Amino acid sequence: VRVRSKQGSAVALFNVTVNLNASALNKVSGDGQSAIIGTSFAQPLVVQVINAQSVGIPNATVTFNVVSGPATLSSATATTDSNGRASVNVTAGATDGTVLINASVTGFTTTFTLTVRLQGPNVTAAGIINGAGGQPGVVPGGIVTIYGTGIATGISGSITSGNVIGPLPLKLANVEVLFGATAAPIFNVSNVNGLESVTVQAPFELGAPGTVIVTVKVGGASTSVPNVPTVPLQPGLFETVNSNGLRYAVAIGDDGRYIGPGVGARPGEIVRVFVTGV
């Protein structure tokens, strides 16, 4: 501050320090996020330092530290801007779990809670198909096969529930499938020649035509596929492949024998074939 006499012959300079005392430290954004192990969280953690009049305090130093959990910070401190806001970026660690991060300034502390999750299976709408006919989409009550990666890692062949009579399991080989919020019974989880899949029965409660969110869970990881189309009808005929690679409908005679090459149907015999999506 410069002070000058009325005649202007005398001048005095004073240094004045204005102390803005913090009255609160508020979370602005970034809380409640989740990120896959080894990746950055999408949003920075942002706080605001305010005074008693709820005005942001600039040039205040905010300290950030990881209290617990697998994560690292871009910086241990950050200086507030003209609006009193400070931020840091967070990177998920190599393991899954809950992360607690404190932000502190002049005796005030606030805590952010983040989640580090495992990499979910790689599934798209194109890999969710009729379990017999192979058409994309879902029929209420129909059999659906979901193809992707990360579904049956470490499995060779197919794992089934082994139930001949009774309900199918809702979790098999650490895999679960949900249509919306409804868990689907699982027929098998397979990894055949590197092609991974899970086959389930879609809930009868699905509305069709329409769409549904399909979620595939493997262990603690999950992937959700939105806007999977549901259709009222989508017939698919179950088939088998012979040693020459030719495809035949699965057909059974009235005495229980399989009908196919070299085993024909008899005149007047009732032959059963198996379909889904009707």
Side-chain angles (χ1 to χ4, degrees):
V1 177
R2 182 189 296 268
V3 179
R4 186 185 298 272
S5 68
K6 187 175 182 180
Q7 292 76 21
S9 59
V11 177
L13 296 177
F14 297 87
N15 292 323
V16 178
T17 300
V18 179
N19 294 317
L20 298 176
N21 295 322
S23 293
L25 177 64
N26 297 329
K27 285 186 287 187
V28 176
S29 61
D31 196 23
Q33 296 182 82
S34 66
I36 296 171
I37 57 173
T39 66
S40 298
F41 285 86
Q43 301 175 1
L45 307 187
V46 182
V47 295
Q48 184 181 34
V49 183
I50 60 174
N51 61 20
Q53 290 72 43
S54 297
V55 176
I57 299 176
N59 300 316
T61 299
V62 179
T63 300
F64 293 86
N65 70 289
V66 178
V67 178
S68 62
T72 56
L73 301 173
S74 59
S75 176
T77 61
T79 303
T80 58
D81 61 15
S82 59
N83 295 314
R85 295 188 175 188
S87 66
V88 294
N89 295 310
V90 186
T91 300
T95 59
D96 62 311
T98 300
V99 177
L100 299 179
I101 297 175
N102 279 353
S104 303
V105 64
T106 59
F108 296 95
T109 300
T110 188
T111 302
F112 291 84
T113 303
L114 309 178
T115 302
V116 179
R117 60 185 180 86
L118 298 172
Q119 173 71 53
N122 185 12
V123 178
T124 65
I128 302 174
I129 63 175
N130 184 299
Q135 309 97 312
V138 175
V139 176
I143 297 176
V144 179
T145 298
I146 301 172
Y147 288 95
T149 57
I151 296 175
T153 304
I155 293 174
S156 180
S158 293
I159 294 178
T160 63
S161 67
N163 290 353
V164 177
I165 299 175
L168 294 169
L170 301 180
K171 184 176 183 179
L172 181 65
N174 218 22
V175 177
E176 300 171 84
V177 177
L178 288 83
F179 290 80
T182 304
I186 301 177
F187 288 96
N188 61 69
V189 176
S190 301
N191 189 339
V192 179
N193 297 324
L195 192 62
E196 301 177 43
S197 66
V198 54
T199 298
V200 302
Q201 183 174 24
F204 282 93
E205 296 84 357
L206 294 180
T211 61
V212 65
I213 298 174
V214 178
T215 301
V216 181
K217 295 183 177 182
V218 180
S222 66
T223 296
S224 294
V225 183
N227 300 318
V228 177
T230 58
V231 294
L233 294 171
Q234 191 187 67
L237 185 67
F238 285 96
E239 298 175 324
T240 186
V241 180
N242 70 3
S243 59
N244 295 321
L246 299 176
R247 297 166 58 184
Y248 294 89
V250 177
I252 296 179
D254 55 15
D255 61 356
R257 76 190 188 286
Y258 285 99
I259 296 174
V263 184
R266 303 187 185 101
E269 182 178 24
I270 296 175
V271 177
R272 294 176 174 84
V273 294
F274 300 87
V275 297
T276 188
V278 296

